[in-house]
Amino acid sequence: MASSENTMKNMSCNDTIDEFRSQVYPVTYSIISILGFVGNGFVLCVLIRTYQEKTAFQIYMFNLAIADLLFVCTLPLRVVYYHYKGNWFFGDFLCRISSYAMYVNLYCSILFMTAMSFFRCIAIVFPIWNIQFISRKRAIMVCVGIWFFVTLTTTPFLQKNGQLSDENITKCFEPPKSKDVKKVMVLHYISLFIGFIFPFITITICYAMILNKLLKNSMHKKEGTRRKAIWMIVIVTVVFLVSFTPYHVQRTVHLHLMKDKTSCEKSLYMQKSVVITYSLAAFNCCFNPLLYYFSGGNFRRRLSTFQRGSISSSHHRKMSSKMEEAMNGNGVEHKTCILEAAGTPSKQMPI
């Protein structure tokens, strides 16, 4: 009797969390897909069109946009999955890739932001080092190193495959089973310290040094340099506080609670907090275009160059079309005059 009551309790727990996830995830992931694709796609287009002017900072922004777009491309699959209340239709391979893409985007974003903050700190606080230390070649090497490190260290998430539930429904993105919790906790603490705590400490130190320098030399620094540095501090801090911090804190608490048997109510509460913090973490790719626009080196000038280029190319096409029409018209008149001079009616002679 007690066993059947527990079964009914667990079923009601699962039904409730599936209902909650099917209400929240499709909406949030749809919004993130649209904003992330439009914002990062546009920024990437501008950076590609103005690649002649690329700087070290633009190289970091380019790679950040690539990481965001790769993740955004997997979100429609998640929308469909949660819309159908946790039924995966796309096969085991795409289930693994979708899980993997989330963690690659998350930690690539954190490390690219850390690299940008560090080199911006060098440029402002140690301007003499800036000439030798910051270069496009060095930026490319750092980006390649970040991609290699993140894609390699997150490969265990490729092993997380789809599961067949008791109702003969294929599941994906589900919490680990109790037997796998210890393994997941090891991966969690590695990613927590290397992928979040260390970058967060680095960024905090860099921003403290930048603010200190700007306050001391407020009259000597250019207004543009000050504005870009302050915008970068504000945006990156907001992204860390809104997207990255709640996710890592919640994940730590949740994994510790999973080791012990908890009540249905507490388990449900934790599952709902997973939904909220996971959605906030995914929103980081919508904040990044703001970083490009407000803090990117001369990004607004690049944008105006891109617009001028588009207008001038359109104008050039129109002028070419008009010149071609004029030339064709002149050719017809010229041929007509020759025919009339020869005494032959022009309408009888096809041109």
Side-chain angles (χ1 to χ4, degrees), residues 95-163:
C95 174
R96 294 169 188 256
I97 290 294
S98 298
S99 297
Y100 181 62
M102 166 68 185
Y103 295 103
V104 169
N105 167 259
L106 185 70
Y107 293 110
C108 275
S109 295
I110 290 173
L111 293 178
F112 284 134
M113 285 184 185
T114 305
M116 284 190 279
S117 302
F118 177 75
F119 286 109
R120 181 62 62 86
C121 177
I122 295 293
I124 293 173
V125 180
F126 307 103
I128 297 174
W129 294 8
N130 184 29
I131 301 169
Q132 298 177 338
F133 196 70
I134 300 177
S135 65
R136 286 180 295 178
K137 185 178 178 181
R138 200 179 296 272
I140 292 169
M141 289 172 62
V142 170
C143 289
V144 170
I146 288 173
W147 278 112
F148 180 78
F149 174 75
V150 173
T151 53
L152 188 67
T153 53
T154 53
T155 47
F157 294 104
L158 279 172
Q159 299 172 11
K160 189 179 179 182
N161 59 343
Q163 305 166 3

Side-chain angles (χ1 to χ4, degrees), residues 143-292:
C143 289
V144 170
I146 288 173
W147 278 112
F148 180 78
F149 174 75
V150 173
T151 53
L152 188 67
T153 53
T154 53
T155 47
F157 294 104
L158 279 172
Q159 299 172 11
K160 189 179 179 182
N161 59 343
Q163 305 166 3
L164 201 64
S165 70
D166 296 335
E167 295 85 14
N168 205 27
I169 292 173
T170 304
K171 293 286 185 181
C172 192
F173 317 122
E174 297 301 312
K177 296 178 180 178
S178 54
K179 64 178 182 178
D180 298 325
V181 170
K182 287 185 179 179
K183 179 184 173 182
V184 173
M185 284 196 74
V186 172
L187 294 172
H188 163 70
Y189 278 109
I190 292 171
S191 61
L192 180 68
F193 283 101
I194 299 176
F196 177 71
I197 293 176
F198 176 72
F200 187 68
I201 291 170
T202 303
I203 285 173
T204 303
I205 293 169
C206 287
Y207 290 170
M209 293 171 71
I210 289 172
L211 289 173
N212 182 53
K213 185 74 173 180
L214 292 177
L215 290 172
K216 279 185 178 179
N217 303 308
S218 58
M219 299 301 292
H220 298 89
K221 288 289 178 187
K222 292 181 180 178
E223 183 60 29
T225 303
R226 286 165 51 81
R227 188 172 59 250
K228 285 189 289 186
I230 291 169
W231 270 117
M232 183 177 190
I233 291 170
V234 170
I235 294 168
V236 173
T237 302
V238 167
V239 173
F240 263 82
L241 293 179
V242 173
S243 289
F244 302 144
T245 303
Y247 171 74
H248 284 92
V249 171
Q250 192 282 333
R251 194 174 71 181
T252 305
V253 175
H254 188 209
L255 285 172
H256 277 280
L257 286 176
M258 285 182 70
K259 289 198 304 181
D260 308 317
K261 291 183 178 180
T262 56
S263 64
C264 179
E265 188 179 349
K266 188 179 286 186
S267 175
L268 207 64
Y269 174 78
M270 289 308 300
Q271 287 291 329
K272 287 184 177 181
S273 66
V274 168
V275 174
I276 294 166
T277 56
Y278 210 87
S279 299
L280 290 173
F283 257 109
N284 85 86
C285 60
C286 298
F287 287 113
N288 292 336
L290 299 177
L291 182 66
Y292 311 147

Side-chain angles (χ1 to χ4, degrees), residues 321-339 351:
S321 178
K322 285 181 180 179
M323 286 177 67
E324 190 176 345
E325 287 175 6
M327 288 176 68
N328 289 337
N330 289 338
V332 171
E333 289 173 5
H334 181 64
K335 288 180 182 179
T336 304
C337 289
I338 292 172
L339 290 168
I351 296 172

